[in-house]
């Protein structure tokens, strides 16, 4: 299946993505994770993207579109994918549609969460330096303090999870990305998910929307 996972920063996209991608046997392709990998490796793309990311602003469309479309052309994405954090602007959505042609996006899942809850979640989030899995000391604690359950990687606070950048990211989402909910609504591919419930209940709602059993 070709799926787009949408929702504001902190809605739980990364948290839900592993289970969805395993259940559907499609790769999880997260634009934010790809960009952070570029930064960690010190590539020119990573260097160019860094300043926007730390401020909580969007990376220019041209850079992100090229990076994601290249990734979608890898053989493992031939029969489907779970896109997380892309598209985020009208230009990105149109570039994706153009590249998929008649195949198109089959479902856009929108995880909705109110602003106060987003701020609370992002303020406490810890992320694995190795695989980028998100944790939270209260709602999604790791088994061993500050270590990833999957690979033992160190858990750290992302620079853009500091309060000023969080506020900026939410503002940017409301202005530049939220109109895409309507974009997919018009195409009849949108499914709304209530993201303000426990993590396993959100997963149940997503699987129901996808029409698959856990
Ligand atoms: P990106 O990495 O995509 O960040 P984001 O969209 O802001 O999303 P997050 O990773 O913050 O949140 P999430 O929804 O995955 O939440 P999570 O599951 O971690 O983008 C970062 C930056 O890269 C952007 O600002 C931009 O600069 C750039 N960028 C990326 N893509 C781009 C694009 N397409 N175009 C231009 N620029 C781009 O959950 C959050 C926390 O809550 C965790 O601690 C988790 O444990 C907890 N939690 C999750 N679910 C629940 C629940 N149900 N109840 C309680 N707690 C929960
Ligand atoms: Zn990890």
């Amino acid at each position: 299946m070709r799926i787009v996972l949408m929702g504001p920063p902190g809605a739980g996209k990364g948290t839900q993505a592993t289970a969805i991608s395993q259940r559907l046997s499609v790769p999880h392709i997260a634009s934010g994770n790809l960009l952070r990998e570029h930064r960690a490796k010190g590539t020119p793309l990573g260097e160019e993207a860094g300043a926007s990311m730390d401020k909580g602003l969007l990376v220019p469309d041209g850079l992100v579109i090229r990076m994601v479309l290249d990734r979608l052309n890898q053989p493992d994405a031939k029969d489907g994918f779970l896109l997380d954090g892309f598209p985020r602007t009208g230009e990105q959505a149109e570039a994706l549609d153009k590249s998929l042609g008649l195949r198109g996006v089959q479902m856009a899942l929108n995880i909705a969460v109110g602003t106060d809850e987003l701020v609370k979640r992002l303020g406490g989030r810890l992320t694995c330096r190795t695989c980028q899995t998100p944790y939270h000391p209260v709602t999604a604690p790791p088994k061993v303090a500050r270590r990833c359950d999957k690979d033992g990687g160190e858990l750290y606070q992302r620079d853009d999870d500091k309060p000023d950048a969080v506020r900026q990211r939410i503002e940017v989402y409301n202005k530049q990305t939220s109109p895409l909910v309507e974009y997919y609504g018009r195409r009849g591919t949108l499914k709304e998910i209530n993201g303000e419930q426990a993590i396993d209940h959100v997963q149940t709602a997503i699987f129901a929307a996808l029409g698959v059993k856990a």
Side-chain angles (χ1 to χ4, degrees):
M1 274 189 97
R2 295 176 298 280
I3 301 167
V4 165
L5 193 54
M6 304 196 321
K13 304 182 292 295
T15 298
Q16 300 296 335
T18 308
I20 305 171
S21 103
Q22 280 173 357
R23 181 62 186 79
L24 301 178
S25 303
V26 294
H28 168 215
I29 300 177
S31 48
N33 291 3
L34 293 174
L35 288 166
R36 279 183 292 277
E37 280 166 24
H38 274 280
R39 292 187 75 184
K41 286 189 205 139
T43 69
L45 196 160
E47 302 261 306
E48 229 177 303
S52 310
M53 292 174 77
D54 288 344
K55 283 192 215 129
L57 301 173
L58 293 186
V59 171
D61 280 334
L63 286 185
V64 182
I65 289 170
R66 199 164 357 110
M67 176 187 76
V68 172
L69 296 189
D70 277 354
R71 177 63 188 86
L72 287 177
N73 278 328
Q74 302 294 313
D76 66 333
K78 191 171 57 70
D79 297 325
F81 50 76
L82 175 66
L83 268 178
D84 161 2
F86 182 96
R88 253 172 155 101
T89 63
E91 196 172 320
Q92 293 179 18
E94 280 160 22
L96 178 64
D97 277 348
K98 200 165 152 210
S99 128
L100 293 175
L102 289 176
R103 294 187 306 145
V105 168
Q106 286 160 295
M107 196 181 288
L109 291 163
N110 184 43
I111 307 181
V113 173
T115 304
D116 291 349
E117 175 69 12
L118 298 174
V119 171
K120 213 161 36 167
R121 289 186 188 179
L122 292 174
R125 175 166 63 181
L126 291 172
T127 303
C128 173
R129 222 179 259 291
T130 310
C131 71
Q132 307 209 41
T133 296
Y135 293 87
H136 191 285
V138 179
T139 54
K143 293 196 179 90
V144 176
R146 296 194 85 91
R147 289 284 154 198
C148 175
D149 293 352
K150 295 180 185 163
D151 51 28
E154 182 206 357
L155 305 187
Y156 77 109
Q157 187 186 35
R158 275 170 41 179
D159 276 341
D160 62 350
D161 280 348
K162 310 242 159 83
D164 282 353
V166 165
R167 267 192 296 277
Q168 180 68 260
R169 284 159 60 204
I170 294 172
E171 212 170 288
V172 164
Y173 171 83
N174 289 335
K175 267 203 204 123
Q176 294 180 264
T177 306
S178 65
L180 292 184
V181 175
E182 208 182 294
Y183 179 92
Y184 287 109
R186 281 198 302 272
R187 281 166 170 65
T189 48
L190 181 71
K191 296 266 185 184
E192 290 281 5
I193 305 292
N194 171 12
E196 285 206 40
Q197 356 173 34
I199 291 173
D200 52 339
H201 291 178
V202 177
Q203 186 185 312
T204 304
I206 290 176
F207 281 12
L210 290 166
V212 297
K213 291 214 176 90

